[in-house]
Amino acid sequence: MREALRTRRLLAGADNMLAVTVNGELAGRVEWLERRWGRRDTSLCWEIAIGLLPDSRGRGIGTWAQRELVRYLFTHTRVERVQATTDPENRAEVRCLEKVGFRLEGIVRRAQWRGGRWHDQLLFSILRDEFDQKTAGASAGATP
């Protein structure tokens, strides 16, 4: 991360990561990665991911962090689409993505190798006009 900050200076590039903190304490991280669904010059979208430390789970931090990341991406980049994937068994992340406004698009079969076997992934997306910049934080409750 330090090398990326040193060489890019700002948040830019094909893969990016930020720390998630609550009251100055590390809670986890969010990432956004370039994805394309066609021609390189016209089909860019961002795929987001999150990883929270065990003590930070189940407190609304993940919903807040991903909502703020989507807000940042739609405010500061020209993409039309932000997407996310998760394991079908990760019910907490499914609920989180739905709270942010993501819609389930389908199942990507055997997309991830983890723990010695292939796992399906659920593909979610949110489009620019589906994300309401003014009210997106209203259901988040208190800001971590």
Side-chain angles (χ1 to χ4, degrees):
M1 287 179 65
R2 286 187 179 103
E3 178 63 14
L5 178 61
R6 186 186 70 74
T7 58
R8 289 189 263 169
R9 300 210 187 280
L10 299 172
L11 301 174
D15 55 343
N16 302 275
M17 183 185 308
L18 285 173
V20 175
T21 62
V22 178
N23 298 323
E25 296 293 319
L26 182 66
R29 51 113 180 99
V30 290
E31 300 175 59
W32 62 105
L33 314 154
E34 281 187 5
R35 295 294 186 249
R36 298 190 189 272
W37 289 95
R39 295 181 53 91
R40 181 170 178 76
D41 57 343
T42 60
S43 301
L44 171 71
C45 71
W46 294 110
E47 184 167 327
I48 65 169
I50 188 167
L52 292 178
L53 298 172
D55 290 346
S56 298
R57 296 175 187 158
R59 299 173 34 201
I61 296 167
T63 302
W64 171 81
Q66 289 181 99
R67 182 179 287 116
E68 290 304 307
L69 180 54
V70 170
R71 182 189 323 276
Y72 173 83
L73 293 172
F74 282 143
T75 300
H76 297 286
T77 71
R78 294 177 14 174
V79 298
E80 177 64 16
R81 168 193 177 87
V82 175
Q83 66 184 39
T85 60
T86 192
D87 192 290
E89 296 177 14
N90 189 345
R91 300 304 309 154
E93 176 63 356
V94 168
R95 283 190 308 276
C96 175
L97 291 169
E98 289 171 343
K99 285 180 187 177
V100 173
F102 282 80
R103 294 184 188 180
L104 178 64
E105 291 189 337
I107 298 172
V108 184
R109 300 180 308 146
R110 295 185 186 167
Q112 184 184 74
W113 179 262
R114 179 174 32 87
R117 68 183 184 89
W118 288 103
H119 293 259
D120 292 347
Q121 293 288 288
L122 299 178
L123 175 62
F124 287 84
S125 72
I126 188 167
L127 304 179
R128 180 177 290 278
D129 63 355
E130 295 170 344
F131 186 75
D132 186 338
Q133 298 279 353
K134 295 177 188 139
T135 63
S139 63
T143 301

